[in-house]
Structure formats: C-alpha cells, structure tokens
Amino acid sequence: MLTPFRNEALTDFTLPENRAAFEKAMVKVKAELGRELPAVINGQEIWNGEGFVSINPARPAEVVARFPKLGIEHAEQAIKAAAEAFKTWQYVPVQERAGYILHAAGEMRRRKQEFNAVMVLEVGKSWAEADADTSESIDFLEYYARQALRIADSSEMLIPYPGEQNGLYYIPLGVGVVISPWNFPNAIATGMTAAALVTGNTVCFKPAEPSSWIAAKICELFWESGIPLGVLNFLPGKGSVIGAHMVEHPQTRFIAFTGSKEVGLRLFEQAGQTKPGQLWLKRTILEMGGKDAVVVDETANLEAASVGIVQSAFGFQGQKCSAGSRAIIVDSVYEQVVGRAVELASKLTVGAPDTSAWIDQGPVVDANSFKKILDYIELGTQEGKLLLGGSPMDTPDKGYFIPPTIFGDVDGNARIAQEEIFGPVLACVRASDYDHALQIANSTEFGLTGALFSLNRQRLERARREFHVGNLYFNRKCTGAMVGAHPFGGFNMSGTDSKAGGPDYLLLFTQAKLVSERL
C-alpha cells in the first residue's frame, strides 16, 4: 500500500549543510559543461552534427550543452518507434508502470540538488526557485503514479444493472507528443511526460531549446528507472521543424503543450485537421499565457498585499505564466501600497545565481527575451510613470540581467497592462473602487491566475463568482500552485486543462476554477 500523497518539502538553504550539498552538486554539474548530448530514438543515440547549443544566460559565452541537428526524418523515426513500442507498453500492468514512475521520484529526490544546479546554470533560476521546480517535479511523479492506480479500474462508479456484469476502465490512447517550456523546465516536462507514460502511452518529447540540458537529465532518469526503449524518445531541436511534423503526424494521438498563446493556438488548429490515414481526433492539453492581476482593496492587510505583489511579479524574473504582472489597487490605498512595493522590490538582489544562495533574481533566459522585455520597458515609459528599474544591468560577462521594473499610474487598457511581457515588469493600475478593480482585472483576454487581498467577506464571495481566472487566491500571492492542493488550469484564452490531476467524466464538459483562501 502506498502512503498518502504529500508535497515534497522545500530545501532550507539557511542551513549550512543544505548549502554545502548544493555547492557539491554545482561542482559536479559544472564538470559536465559543454558536453555533446544526443537525441535518443528507440534507445539509439543520434548525433547528426551540432544543431544548437544551450547557454548560461548569466554568462552567454558559456555553453552548457550541445545538441544535434535534427530533421523531419528523425521526427518520423521517433513517431514510428513510439507507435511500435505502444503495441506492448499499453498492456504493461498499471502497477508496473507506476513502479517505474515512483522509482524515478525517489531518484530525483536523492539527486535533488543536482537537478537544481542544472537549472541554475541553464535558465538562471535562483537556488530557491530551482528547488521549488524540482520539488514540484517530484510531486508530479508521486501524484500521477497514485492517480493512475486510482483510476485504472473505475467500475465502482457504475450503477449495477440486473443480469449484467459491467466494467469501466481507462485505457491509453497511443503516441503522444510532449512539448515543454523553458520556464519550469523540470516540473512541467516531468509532469506532462510522467502522466502520459504511467497511463500507458508512449512519448516523443521535444523540450524548449533553452532548457534542453535539464530535459536530457529527465529522460536519463526515466530510462534508468526502467522505462523501455522506444516508450520515451528524446528529440531536442527546432519546434518549427521536428515539433511541427510530430504534431501533424497521423499516428499522433495527443499533444501536451505548455508555452506561448500564439504557438498553442496554432497547435490547437493543426490538431483539429485530420490527415490521411488518421482514424481519430487528436486531443490537446494546452497551457498558454497569462496577464495575471493582484487586486488590493482598502480593507486589505496592506503589508501582506505589498509583499504578495512583489513575490508574484518578480519570482524567477517574472518569467511565469502565473506571474502577477498587474497590480490593481483601489485609489484610497494606492500610494501606500505602490510605495511599499517599490521599496520591497528595490531590495531584491540581482546577479549570477550560481554564485550565492542569497541571489533573488538571475538573468532572463536569452537574448530574444532580453530584447523583447526592454522593448516593453521603453513602451512603458510612454504608458506610465517609471518608479523603479527600467535599465539593464551591465556585467563583465554581458549577462541578460534586467532588475525589477515598476510602472505606476498605468491605464488598464495600456499595452503593458494587456500584453504578456514575461519578464520582471510590473504595471500598477489605479482603480476608483472595488467594482472598478474587478472590472479591470477581467479586462484582458487572459485568465490564468489572480489574487485578491481583502478582509471584506462579501467581496471575497463576490470574487469567487466574478473574478474570471482558473486559479484564484485570496490574501496570498498568485504564483506557487501546489500539486494536488491547487490544480493548475486556465480560463478563457489561457487553456482549460489541469496539471494536478485529471478531471472526471463530467468535468470534461465544464471549466475548472480553483479558489484558495489564506487562513
């Protein structure tokens, strides 16, 4: 019997022994820098000449890993290998499949600081952000293994019918394409892949290019835990080439994607078009963008609200789909809350995160993001009042560092208040009253997460009904969903599927909304 699911504890880096364990892991992974890491299809390693490199965004000249140049022929080979492997993998007992996933969870827990160190180097996460990412990865492994066992035989849901013996069983679909993002490169990649594997599907896994090193580590972990050859295939490379081919392939049964709205909508459209030889409609699991709001009314604990705004906006440099990039504050407390948020954000430390446990913010992920964010900051100088930051931080290694940036008196319809920036940029919007604040919060096409700081019970209850987001938090930040406790889904344009447990039959016809109140 498995023990009940519990969320993985975060590492306390104030303890010297935990810092020492991380530093030891950092030495280990730095010894691996610059390695050539192949694609793996049906257990065969493929190196077809260097296609791209993954770099350290704190020191862009530092190559952390090299990856092969893959083409359509490799995507075709992977789909065929996964389809062949599915013929046997689908019949492996769920208990055995869950055993592999639980073994992977134990190994990731044992090597936690190693996985943390890779993300610190490859995508610029702070120690704490990397640790939360790996903890969530372990949670997904533990959670999905238990859920697969739970739903495998759901015959007890059926009403007995005289003269018949009926059974209800969840069966796998077939070959799936998993396309993971770089911002939660361990947790989301591990979660989407583990959920597909443990339910008997085979996977062709294409990670985002900037986080391909940690993706290779994840695949190695699965293979070492017993996942057979061909069941999981690793294809680092261009989404426009190999990803697009696998998405459109007639043997692909489902697509699990986390990334931008633009790409997600294109995948959704492509999945709806049947190809010659395709006998089914493809399923899509899409989690896309966000322009999330933290709303503060005049009854709120203003210190808690200010802290929540800063945590929501600047965790991992604002590079979260759940980041609170809009602070909507009623007029009577606007100056006080914004002033305190600026004060708190100004104290955040920015630097290369591998150098210290006390770095709050590392670099943004790459040159393209760096330019895009700076372009939005320039736009922000025209749309609001610059209160903090606004200029990149110059370093000897030319890292992609952008300090926390806050704009005040931004109109709710301004571009920096409507468009996803995906960087450390906060737009503060003044609302005349609570009604106006709620109206502004609902004014974007996005609806992923949101937070409300208020001590007024009637307003909290109204927000349950009228604040249109997938995850709504009361009196806490809008980031940091915990597996199992906070099923992470979306609303409107942001996607409708949950990361933290599959919906039952009836929920397939509704949209889920989580409301979590800080006690």
Side-chain angles (χ1 to χ4, degrees):
M1 292 291 293
L2 289 174
T3 58
F5 171 79
R6 295 182 61 183
N7 294 110
E8 177 72 11
L10 300 177
T11 302
D12 182 356
F13 287 113
T14 65
L15 300 178
E17 59 268 30
N18 290 340
R19 294 199 300 276
F22 176 87
E23 289 163 354
K24 180 179 179 181
M26 181 61 74
V27 171
K28 177 181 185 300
V29 299
K30 281 188 173 182
E32 302 175 17
L33 290 176
R35 287 174 54 199
E36 294 181 349
L37 297 175
V40 180
I41 300 174
N42 201 26
Q44 178 185 356
E45 295 187 354
I46 296 173
W47 181 264
N48 198 37
E50 186 173 295
F52 69 98
V53 298
S54 180
I55 57 96
N56 180 348
R59 298 182 290 274
E62 183 177 272
V63 173
V64 300
R66 304 176 187 276
F67 295 91
K69 184 177 182 179
L70 300 184
I72 289 176
E73 68 276 16
H74 300 105
E76 187 73 24
Q77 183 182 346
I79 292 287
K80 288 182 178 179
E84 185 65 26
F86 180 69
K87 293 177 181 178
T88 53
W89 180 246
Q90 64 180 314
Y91 298 121
V92 171
V94 65
Q95 293 82 1
E96 184 177 338
R97 297 195 304 257
Y100 296 140
I101 300 303
L102 291 169
H103 183 273
E107 281 299 293
M108 189 176 287
R109 185 178 291 112
R110 184 179 67 82
R111 296 166 57 190
K112 189 177 188 182
Q113 301 307 328
E114 176 186 343
F115 280 83
N116 290 348
V118 170
M119 287 186 285
V120 167
L121 289 173
E122 187 174 36
V123 296
K125 292 212 167 195
S126 68
W127 295 20
E129 288 282 354
D131 190 70
D133 198 320
T134 302
S135 295
E136 187 176 17
S137 306
I138 296 168
D139 284 350
F140 279 136
L141 293 165
E142 295 279 2
Y143 185 87
Y144 283 133
R146 286 166 171 79
Q147 290 298 303
L149 293 169
R150 181 183 67 83
I151 69 171
D153 185 348
S154 298
S155 301
E156 73 281 356
M157 294 173 59
L158 301 176
I159 297 172
Y161 190 78
E164 295 181 1
Q165 182 175 337
N166 298 316
L168 174 62
Y169 310 101
Y170 285 87
I171 62 174
L173 293 172
V175 178
V177 177
V178 171
I179 303 174
S180 65
W182 52 261
N183 65 329
F184 285 88
N186 192 358
I188 295 178
T190 297
M192 293 194 298
T193 303
L197 294 175
V198 78
T199 47
N201 302 286
T202 55
V203 169
C204 296
F205 171 36
K206 197 216 84 66
E209 290 98 306
S211 57
S212 295
W213 184 21
I214 186 67
K217 288 275 186 183
I218 294 165
C219 288
E220 290 171 1
L221 185 75
F222 278 125
W223 292 320
E224 291 168 0
S225 297
I227 299 297
L229 303 180
V231 169
L232 173 61
N233 303 278
F234 175 55
L235 291 98
K238 295 288 185 182
S240 58
V241 179
I242 57 174
H245 186 77
M246 292 191 296
V247 164
E248 295 183 345
H249 199 285
Q251 284 187 284
T252 300
R253 289 300 307 267
F254 65 91
I255 303 147
F257 168 80
T258 300
S260 72
K261 185 194 77 172
E262 291 74 19
V263 174
L265 292 179
R266 187 163 65 247
L267 296 180
F268 189 59
E269 181 180 12
Q270 292 169 339
Q273 300 172 5
T274 57
K275 302 296 181 180
Q278 181 178 327
L279 304 177
W280 47 72
L281 295 176
K282 296 180 183 179
R283 295 189 184 180
T284 56
I285 303 168
L286 308 173
E287 197 275 286
M288 297 178 270
K291 189 65 180 177
D292 311 296
V294 179
V295 176
V296 184
D297 77 3
E298 73 279 7
T299 73
N301 179 324
L302 301 187
E303 178 65 17
S306 303
V307 171
I309 287 170
V310 171
Q311 291 175 332
S312 299
F314 301 118
F316 187 38
Q317 297 79 268
Q319 298 174 124
K320 301 180 182 182
C321 55
S322 59
S325 56
R326 296 183 295 158
I328 303 169
I329 307 160
V330 298
D331 183 69
S332 61
V333 295
Y334 176 90
E335 298 294 343
Q336 185 176 348
V337 172
V338 171
R340 181 58 174 152
V342 168
E343 181 182 4
L344 291 169
S346 69
K347 296 178 181 178
L348 297 176
T349 55
V350 181
D354 60 321
T355 61
S356 171
W358 316 123
I359 296 293
D360 297 307
Q361 282 198 199
V364 299
V365 72
D366 60 19
N368 289 335
S369 291
F370 186 69
K371 181 182 184 304
K372 174 189 172 184
I373 296 164
L374 291 179
D375 286 346
Y376 270 110
I377 290 174
E378 175 61 28
L379 176 64
T381 61
Q382 304 166 35
E383 294 187 328
K385 180 181 179 182
L386 181 63
L387 303 177
L388 182 69
S391 299
M393 188 173 80
D394 190 25
T395 64
D397 296 307
K398 304 302 180 184
Y400 303 128
F401 294 98
I402 300 176
T405 297
I406 299 177
F407 290 98
D409 292 315
V410 177
D411 186 276
N413 294 316
R415 285 182 59 192
I416 63 168
Q418 289 287 321
E419 299 176 13
E420 185 178 42
I421 300 173
F422 224 62
V425 181
L426 172 66
C428 297
V429 182
R430 192 188 299 262
S432 57
D433 55 22
Y434 178 71
D435 289 349
H436 188 211
L438 200 55
Q439 176 186 342
I440 297 169
N442 289 330
S443 67
T444 75
E445 65 178 359
F446 297 100
L448 191 65
T449 75
L452 169 61
F453 283 85
S454 174
L455 300 180
N456 183 302
R457 175 53 57 183
Q458 289 181 329
R459 291 178 179 177
L460 295 175
E461 294 306 314
R462 182 179 167 194
R464 291 178 190 270
R465 302 187 304 272
E466 298 181 29
F467 197 153
H468 298 310
V469 293
N471 281 40
L472 175 60
Y473 301 100
F474 291 159
N475 296 309
R476 56 149 283 185
K477 63 179 182 171
C478 66
T479 59
M482 300 298 292
V483 173
H486 308 136
F488 188 78
F491 197 92
N492 302 334
M493 299 294 284
S494 299
T496 59
D497 289 274
S498 168
K499 288 200 302 182
D504 68 20
Y505 184 77
L506 293 178
L507 289 184
L508 292 174
F509 301 95
T510 66
Q511 294 189 95
K513 179 176 182 178
L514 169 80
V515 179
S516 177
E517 181 171 352
R518 175 60 55 87
L519 301 177

